[in-house]
Amino acid sequence: MSQRIYLLRHGLTEAGQCYLGRTDAALTELGWQQMQQGLGDYQPAQFEAVISSPLRRCAEFAQYWAAEDQLTIEPRLAEYDFGDWDGMTGQQVYDAAPRALENFWKDPWCYPPPQGESLALFFQRLSSALEDIEATYDGPVLLVCHGGVIRAIRCIMQRQPVARMFNYDVSHGSLHLFRR
């Protein structure tokens, strides 16, 4: 039997549409609804563990939804750190640094945002978290996390090139299942 890892993306936040990495934005009411809808009929008892990013847009929902004894807050599941761009819209970044933004989208592995996290370190911390999760749990686990985290974990678990990371739709409140 393979390990089943479910990943739930947080819902819409009060920060709106922006590069949202380390900024600790709260969920909107719609964001809460999106996460509930994403889980559908799933119940906490169906998961051996619920593991959440420490950022409040994930952790507050996980604390509300999960049973107290099954919840773990995992710092390595935090979103990609956009550095100086964190909290800015794409237009704001483009207005301030068009060349840097173009370079990032052409080759994010080599051109991270200023003061941001390299994709190599991002993938390394997520790989480490996944290894620990898979070594600790046999049953299905639910990770409450972020769009970038889900995209990267998909690449890691399915052994896909990093370039495919940005071609995978991860809408607010969406639930994704990966097996290994």
Side-chain angles (χ1 to χ4, degrees):
M1 187 169 154
S2 64
Q3 170 77 44
R4 289 179 296 150
I5 298 179
Y6 295 78
L7 297 100
L8 176 67
R9 183 179 180 197
H10 65 79
L12 187 67
T13 70
E14 293 175 352
Q17 297 295 321
C18 64
Y19 288 104
L20 192 59
R22 68 177 181 257
T23 299
D24 207 8
L27 291 170
T28 63
E29 185 176 326
L30 174 60
W32 280 87
Q33 292 170 5
Q34 290 170 323
M35 294 178 81
Q36 288 281 12
Q37 289 170 353
L39 285 170
D41 293 331
Y42 283 104
Q43 297 297 316
Q46 293 174 266
F47 298 98
E48 183 177 354
V50 176
I51 305 166
S52 177
S53 160
L55 295 169
R56 67 189 289 197
R57 58 192 181 265
C58 297
E60 288 178 353
F61 180 86
Q63 290 165 343
Y64 161 79
W65 190 80
E68 187 176 329
D69 63 343
Q70 79 181 143
L71 178 62
T72 300
I73 301 298
E74 174 53 69
R76 293 175 292 180
L77 293 181
E79 180 61 289
Y80 176 77
D81 184 349
F82 288 100
D84 292 349
W85 298 350
D86 206 83
M88 296 174 70
T89 66
Q91 187 63 53
Q92 289 170 325
V93 173
Y94 185 79
D95 290 346
R99 183 81 166 184
L101 184 61
E102 289 169 7
N103 287 337
F104 173 73
W105 283 112
K106 284 181 191 171
D107 188 357
W109 196 266
C110 292
Y111 297 100
Q115 306 301 312
E117 183 176 21
S118 73
L119 278 181
L121 289 177
F122 181 56
F123 272 71
Q124 183 179 23
R125 76 172 155 88
L126 292 175
S127 292
S128 171
L130 272 176
E131 288 171 11
D132 289 348
I133 289 165
E134 291 175 328
T136 304
Y137 304 101
D138 294 321
V141 296
L142 173 66
L143 308 184
V144 182
C145 53
H146 310 273
V149 170
I150 294 170
R151 288 179 179 99
I153 286 176
R154 176 178 179 255
C155 289
I156 293 164
M157 291 189 75
Q158 296 180 349
R159 292 177 172 77
Q160 294 188 0
V162 174
R164 290 210 175 147
M165 179 176 167
F166 301 103
N167 298 333
Y168 185 58
D169 183 42
V170 182
S171 58
H172 286 111
S174 59
L175 185 66
H176 306 262
L177 169 61
F178 298 107
R179 296 176 192 266
R180 184 133 85 176

